[in-house]
Amino acid sequence: MGLSVSMLPMKVVLLMLLIFLCYSVAYSSSSSETTMHTNNWAVLVCTSRFWFNYRHMANTLSLYRTVKRLGIPDERIILMLADDMACNARNKYPAQVFNNENHRLNLYGDNVEVDYRGYEVTVENFLRVLTGRHETAVPRSKRLLSDEGSHILLYMTGHGGDEFLKFQDSEELQSHDLADAVKQMKEKCRFKELLIMVDTCQASTLFSQFHSPGVLAIGSSMKGENSYSHHLDSDVGVSVVDRFTFYTLAFFERLNMYDNASLSSLFNSYNPNLLMSTAYYRMDLYQRHLEEVPVTNFFGSVMKTIYTDSAYRSWSNKKIRAAKSKMPLDQSIFDSDGRVLRKSDEEDQFNNLTAEDYIRDSVGQIWSAILSNVNTFESTDTFVCYGLVLMLPLLIFSTWLSSK
Amino acid sequence: MKKKKVQWFWSWVIGSVILRLILLYFPKNLNLSSRPEVSTPLTSLRRLAEGYWLKQSSVSPYAGSMYHGSPLLLTLLGPLTVTRVEGQPDHLLCSLVFVIADVICAMLIRAAGEKLQVAYSSRLQFLGLHNLSENSELLPSGDFAALVYLWNPFTIVACVGLSTSAIENLMVVLSLYGACSRLTPLAAFGWVMATHLSLYPAILIIPVILLLGYGPDAPPRKLFWQRKNLDVGNSTSSDSCSEEEAKNQLKMAHVFSWRLVVLFLFWTLLWSSYVLVLCGIYVQQYGGLQELFKRTYGFILTIQDLSPNIGVLWYFFAEVFDFFRNFFLIVFHGNILLMIAPLALRLNHRPCFLAFVYILISSMLKSYPSVGDSALYLGLLGLFAYELKDMQFSFFLFSGYVGVSLLSPVMHNLWIWRGTGNANFYFATAIAYACFQIILVVESVSAMLNHDRMLTKLYTAKLQNVKS
């Protein structure tokens, strides 16, 4: 009897622990809403070879240029080009690739970094890039090093069909393989949000098998439809761009890094009459409203900067990081020119955290009292200096006292 | 005769200050601060400047493993390393601080020497060895030791070479002076600061406690007991006044004054908590006190920096296997610790000399010795000039020191700059230096013990004369 009464507080404690565990599990499982958006990645794949598929190369390179212009650096772009058009023997303009017959824009400028080229663009390498399962010797520039806060843009272009995409004219990527790879990526927390853009014939069949949350996909045509090239460049001799990509670029050429154009405006800009196909997008796996998502979330890289005046506390980050990941995003305020200013009371929250770590026992309490007094000085240096200088008269006084 | 030295004393002091100033303003860069004998990872001012710069850039001053000293030194000397005066040499203000520290140290040695001499001669007189006490008063050991300290080339080089060992020596001498004059706050302050700046003066707590308890150096205590027995026997030999004085002397001789020791410990606690609070506030953002201790005391104890110096540990620890590293660290530091107890037992009636021996041993076996440490004990050696005047091998030692201090830079140059020598050349001079220090400690202790034996012999002979 006495045992059960004394066990009662133990039972209460255990019950509270259990509830706490449940909450934490539930909390962490919905972490996709609360993980912070850390960086943007782009995987741009051109899957077809031979000179007459010039337009696929130009598609990919124009999107590479757009993405770089809007802010994603080369170290976060994986560019896979299945053949070399710029230095092809048939190219009348060596080392130049155009996506328009007016030749206004040389896509193959002086700053193109191709990660997978020629015969390295295979289904196996593509899936290895997505899932991150490489041989140990693969260099970092060829890896997709995203984390659980990354937004990834996956753009694929080439020849495709019902539930497949042709690679190098010799193998296929099937839609369920792609869905499996994306599922693996989600399980390994390799992305927060994923936008897949496919420009092939019957493109929207390629993402019909997806089940992972956080995935948004748009294809240039629906099942049974073809995607067409835009125009023929009679000087180069082949078609230089596809319609879907052409209108996508037309949308982006109007933008710069700080514009707030949303994904829904991008998706609504596709006119089926001009495209000669229906651009179909799939948003049932994507939780956010497309009007709220700026295109720079995927196509550019606008980083959230946290402005603080205080010194960088490197050692305490280990304790703060645990708390930081639970911090919801919607505490940030958008400034007029697009930068984010964090509220100042969050700084106090961090201060409280480090102060709480110190308060372990009464000595810690005294210590925090001393610290709060110290922080009234403009710097600890002056306080320590005063303390040091004060030691001398104290010493003289005490010596005089003891010599009496 | 005592006044003879005093007239010229102050002129010698001023002369040494002028010499230091001349060397500071020397037109050609003497480059003394880059000599490994002078500046060690613990005492180098260049590293202090780097630590200060790191602190100003809101990074921990111990990041990068350059600075390993106390944050209080950083507060004191840091701003001085960056202030530049037009047309003056670099680090002028810091050098002036070191010069002032040297002068104050010399003054304190002189005052301690005076106190020691007064106490010693009064003890000798009490024992009846009057001619000995007159002889000891001939040589003003305090002045002599102060001048030795100021004019020692090692001290001058350490001061001009911008080594913070000047301040460490000042703290050690401050604690010894405070203990000699029975001023417990001063002694506690000196000991706490000396231990805080460099770890090794911690072992000086034993001589300081002995100094506070028993008083300054005195002949062996059994002589006083014999005198007591004699007095009990001859109660009619002296009048009441000197009998009182005799009783006081007896009390002082063999009664351990616990009150002073307890006061000293109290003041130690006070000063050390003050220092720790200040340091804790300074490093609160950079890992707290634990990080501070790891970087300062941990660095001293684990000998992480193996750049060559005038000690013997760098060569050894460059070769030792990692598996045995901890074992040999314990052995080397235990070497110092194991010598504490026997010396304390044997020399407990001479605590100041005990302190000198401890300083000598620790400056020989410490992790990063420099010539600034030798400057300290060579200065203190002058305090015991009367007792040690019959020391053997004194000329050999003197020439040895001169030879090592001349050859060591040469070997370093041969090894590092010309490439015609190797580490063994430099290490040979380091070993020779350690050997000379060992000979010095052995000979000085044996000379002191011989002096004690001579005192005992004289006293028992006198007693026999009185009895018969």
Side-chain angles (χ1 to χ4, degrees):
Chain A
M1 270 270 270
L3 223 81
S4 63
V5 168
S6 63
M7 293 273 281
L8 186 63
M10 274 288 290
K11 285 181 189 163
V12 169
V13 166
L14 279 173
L15 191 63
M16 288 182 59
L17 262 177
L18 203 63
I19 295 174
F20 174 66
L21 273 172
C22 293
Y23 268 131
S24 59
V25 162
Y27 204 43
S28 56
S29 66
S30 65
S31 59
S32 61
E33 293 167 0
T34 52
T35 50
M36 212 168 71
H37 170 203
T38 47
N39 48 28
N40 287 359
W41 283 79
V43 180
L44 311 171
V45 186
C46 163
T47 59
S48 36
R49 59 172 37 241
F50 305 130
W51 175 246
F52 51 81
N53 292 321
Y54 184 101
R55 62 188 186 281
H56 297 145
M57 204 67 52
N59 288 348
T60 320
L61 282 171
S62 354
L63 214 65
Y64 173 77
R65 184 190 159 268
T66 304
V67 146
K68 263 181 86 159
R69 187 175 64 84
L70 291 179
I72 304 186
D74 267 320
E75 58 240 15
R76 292 206 289 274
I77 303 179
I78 308 263
L79 181 60
M80 301 170 86
L81 298 180
D83 199 0
D84 181 12
M85 300 302 166
C87 300
N88 198 310
R90 283 164 142 173
N91 193 355
K92 189 179 165 196
Y93 299 93
Q96 291 167 79
V97 175
F98 305 112
N99 67 348
N100 201 314
E101 62 178 345
N102 57 23
H103 293 188
R104 205 164 42 88
L105 206 54
N106 172 19
L107 299 173
Y108 217 78
D110 45 1
N111 196 8
V112 171
E113 188 183 295
V114 182
D115 297 302
Y116 287 83
R117 62 196 64 192
Y119 286 110
E120 289 174 355
V121 181
T122 58
V123 173
E124 181 196 344
N125 280 349
F126 174 67
L127 292 178
R128 278 186 189 276
V129 162
L130 282 188
T131 54
R133 295 164 67 165
H134 293 281
E135 307 272 324
T136 45
V138 170
R140 280 175 70 91
S141 60
K142 282 185 164 173
R143 295 181 189 233
L144 179 64
L145 300 168
S146 53
D147 52 40
E148 69 263 11
S150 304
H151 288 181
I152 303 185
L153 165 72
L154 176 59
Y155 175 80
M156 292 183 282
T157 181
H159 289 290
D162 193 3
E163 310 263 335
F164 73 89
L165 174 65
K166 190 165 76 157
F167 265 70
Q168 302 270 14
D169 210 23
S170 61
E171 54 180 358
E172 295 168 356
L173 171 74
Q174 306 220 327
S175 58
H176 49 260
D177 287 329
L178 187 60
D180 281 344
V182 169
K183 187 169 160 209
Q184 252 195 61
M185 282 173 83
K186 191 64 191 174
E187 272 174 26
K188 287 160 81 162
C189 295
R190 278 166 71 77
F191 66 90
K192 184 167 181 276
E193 291 172 13
L194 175 66
L195 171 64
I196 303 186
M197 198 179 244
V198 189
D199 187 1
T200 67
C201 304
Q202 307 188 52
S204 50
T205 56
L206 195 63
F207 45 81
S208 58
Q209 308 272 350
F210 282 1
H211 290 292
S212 318
V215 175
L216 183 63
I218 178 163
S220 59
S221 51
M222 296 187 62
K223 182 175 157 107
E225 292 177 353
N226 289 336
S227 296
Y228 297 97
S229 64
H230 190 258
H231 61 268
L232 170 76
D233 182 350
S234 43
D235 204 7
V236 174
V238 283
S239 306
V240 286
V241 70
D242 279 333
R243 284 183 180 260
F244 178 74
T245 310
F246 181 82
Y247 288 111
T248 312
L249 291 176
F251 179 86
F252 277 110
E253 286 299 312
R254 295 195 302 267
L255 292 186
N256 64 17
M257 251 201 290
Y258 300 109
D259 279 337
N260 266 347
S262 67
L263 274 183
S264 66
S265 61
L266 170 66
F267 290 174
N268 293 337
S269 71
Y270 297 123
N271 185 347
N273 297 330
L274 292 177
L275 280 182
M276 292 162 69
S277 59
T278 318
Y280 171 74
Y281 59 93
R282 181 182 173 177
M283 38 177 273
D284 56 326
L285 296 169
Y286 192 67
Q287 282 91 358
R288 295 167 68 180
H289 292 291
L290 290 181
E291 291 90 27
E292 299 168 353
V293 183
V295 288
T296 47
N297 260 16
F298 293 100
F299 289 90
S301 180
V302 179
M303 304 302 292
K304 288 182 174 54
T305 53
I306 304 169
Y307 174 74
T308 171
D309 265 332
S310 66
Y312 177 61
R313 297 199 183 106
S314 54
W315 68 275
S316 57
N317 269 357
K318 285 193 278 285
K319 293 169 193 152
I320 289 182
R321 216 182 286 149
K324 233 188 191 173
S325 61
K326 295 194 175 72
M327 200 74 70
L329 264 185
D330 43 19
Q331 276 194 14
S332 51
I333 316 166
F334 271 91
D335 205 30
S336 58
D337 53 342
R339 275 181 296 164
V340 176
L341 299 172
R342 197 165 277 256
K343 289 192 282 216
S344 56
D345 56 336
E346 284 178 359
E347 186 69 32
D348 297 324
Q349 209 162 354
F350 288 156
N351 273 341
N352 283 341
L353 276 171
T354 47
E356 272 166 3
D357 282 341
Y358 273 113
I359 297 178
R360 294 195 196 284
D361 50 306
S362 58
V363 175
Q365 281 178 354
I366 299 173
W367 182 242
S368 58
I370 294 176
L371 278 184
S372 60
N373 277 338
V374 165
N375 286 332
T376 57
F377 285 84
E378 64 259 13
S379 77
T380 56
D381 282 356
T382 48
F383 181 77
V384 174
C385 210
Y386 286 145
L388 196 62
V389 167
L390 187 63
M391 258 206 285
L392 196 60
L394 268 179
L395 176 70
I396 295 173
F397 179 64
S398 55
T399 315
W400 174 74
L401 263 184
S402 72
S403 66
K404 286 248 294 247
Chain B
M1 277 164 291
K2 198 171 156 183
K3 307 294 175 200
K4 185 175 78 175
K5 253 292 181 38
V6 172
Q7 277 174 340
W8 294 107
F9 176 72
W10 290 106
S11 51
W12 280 105
V13 169
I14 294 173
S16 76
V17 171
I18 291 177
L19 176 65
R20 283 171 168 77
L21 289 175
I22 289 175
L23 285 175
L24 280 174
Y25 279 89
F26 210 72
K28 251 177 94 165
N29 191 10
L30 285 171
N31 238 348
L32 280 173
S33 53
S34 60
R35 295 232 61 85
E37 293 93 352
V38 175
S39 69
T40 64
L42 295 174
T43 60
S44 166
L45 193 74
R46 189 177 60 94
R47 287 178 178 243
L48 195 147
E50 165 103 12
Y52 181 70
W53 183 85
L54 283 173
K55 180 74 169 64
Q56 294 303 100
S57 322
S58 307
V59 182
S60 162
Y62 300 103
S65 184
M66 275 296 268
Y67 181 62
H68 293 280
S70 152
L72 300 181
L73 261 189
L74 207 58
T75 324
L76 182 66
L77 289 177
L80 294 180
T81 54
V82 284
T83 50
R84 296 224 185 287
V85 185
E86 288 276 332
Q88 310 285 353
D90 282 343
H91 298 304
L92 177 73
L93 292 173
C94 291
S95 325
L96 287 180
V97 168
F98 294 140
V99 169
I100 293 172
D102 270 349
V103 170
I104 296 178
C105 196
M107 294 301 118
L108 286 172
I109 292 180
R110 178 173 182 241
E114 268 176 43
K115 291 225 164 18
L116 277 178
Q117 202 169 36
V118 160
Y120 194 63
S121 64
S122 75
R123 300 287 175 88
L124 281 180
Q125 281 190 336
F126 172 68
L127 283 180
L129 301 167
H130 299 282
N131 55 344
L132 270 180
S133 87
E134 274 168 19
N135 284 346
S136 80
E137 274 177 9
L138 265 182
L139 182 68
S141 58
D143 296 355
F144 182 63
L147 286 180
V148 164
Y149 182 78
L150 277 178
W151 279 93
N152 193 352
F154 287 163
T155 331
I156 297 179
V157 156
C159 176
V160 173
L162 299 173
S163 162
T164 58
S165 56
I167 299 183
E168 291 170 21
N169 295 350
L170 172 64
M171 292 302 157
V172 169
V173 171
L174 190 69
S175 78
L176 285 179
Y177 169 71
C180 282
S181 21
R182 298 337 238 308
L183 293 170
T184 44
L186 202 63
F189 175 74
W191 184 79
V192 163
M193 288 305 290
T195 311
H196 176 70
L197 288 175
S198 76
L199 182 58
Y200 292 93
I203 58 178
L204 289 177
I205 194 168
I206 294 175
V208 164
I209 287 181
L210 285 173
L211 268 173
L212 286 171
Y214 281 126
D217 289 10
R221 232 161 279 121
K222 61 182 183 196
L223 298 184
F224 291 98
W225 292 29
Q226 286 178 346
R227 166 71 186 233
K228 178 178 165 196
N229 292 341
L230 185 69
D231 268 347
V232 166
N234 296 354
S235 55
T236 60
S237 59
S238 43
D239 50 329
S240 58
C241 182
S242 67
E243 215 174 276
E244 284 294 317
E245 189 194 303
K247 286 216 175 84
N248 283 343
Q249 289 270 12
L250 271 176
K251 248 194 219 152
M252 268 167 52
H254 64 261
V255 168
F256 191 77
S257 160
W258 283 106
R259 182 183 141 263
L260 277 178
V261 172
V262 166
L263 266 181
F264 168 73
L265 290 173
F266 162 71
W267 278 109
T268 317
L269 272 174
L270 210 65
W271 286 120
S272 54
S273 54
Y274 191 92
V275 164
L276 282 177
V277 161
L278 277 184
C279 290
I281 292 174
Y282 195 82
V283 293
Q284 54 157 292
Q285 287 179 335
Y286 309 119
L289 277 177
Q290 204 182 358
E291 176 80 7
L292 172 74
F293 287 142
K294 191 174 81 138
R295 295 293 192 149
T296 52
Y297 292 163
F299 178 77
I300 294 174
L301 288 175
T302 55
I303 313 182
Q304 289 166 359
D305 188 305
L306 295 178
S307 46
N309 49 51
I310 206 156
V312 293
L313 293 176
W314 59 275
Y315 191 86
F316 185 79
F317 279 101
E319 301 178 313
V320 77
F321 290 116
D322 274 343
F323 184 76
F324 293 105
R325 192 157 210 273
N326 286 336
F327 169 69
F328 281 112
L329 279 174
I330 297 175
V331 164
F332 274 96
H333 286 115
N335 215 353
I336 306 179
L337 291 174
L338 284 173
M339 299 223 206
I340 294 180
L343 281 167
L345 284 175
R346 192 65 181 87
L347 289 170
N348 64 354
H349 57 283
R350 292 186 183 273
C352 219
F353 185 69
L354 184 67
F356 160 74
V357 175
Y358 280 171
I359 292 173
L360 213 169
I361 291 176
S362 70
S363 75
M364 184 170 63
L365 293 171
K366 69 195 298 192
S367 326
Y368 306 100
S370 70
V371 293
D373 306 316
S374 326
L376 178 62
Y377 69 74
L378 286 174
L380 289 179
L381 184 62
L383 282 178
F384 311 103
Y386 174 66
E387 290 93 350
L388 297 180
K389 65 185 192 318
D390 291 326
M391 193 168 81
Q392 277 182 317
F393 304 131
S394 50
F395 179 69
F396 173 65
L397 280 172
F398 176 72
S399 350
Y401 268 86
V402 168
V404 165
S405 52
L406 289 176
L407 270 182
S408 174
V410 170
M411 294 303 172
H412 188 256
N413 191 352
L414 274 183
W415 173 29
I416 303 274
W417 297 109
R418 293 173 191 266
T420 52
N422 56 30
N424 298 320
F425 285 54
Y426 189 66
F427 187 58
T429 54
I431 288 187
Y433 185 63
C435 283
F436 288 123
Q437 284 175 306
I438 294 173
I439 295 174
L440 177 63
V441 79
V442 167
E443 289 309 318
S444 58
V445 170
S446 58
M448 188 61 85
L449 294 177
N450 282 338
H451 182 80
D452 279 343
R453 285 194 203 102
M454 181 207 60
L455 274 180
T456 318
K457 214 170 56 161
L458 273 178
Y459 185 65
T460 42
K462 191 164 154 315
L463 278 185
Q464 299 283 21
N465 283 346
V466 167
K467 268 192 183 155
S468 62

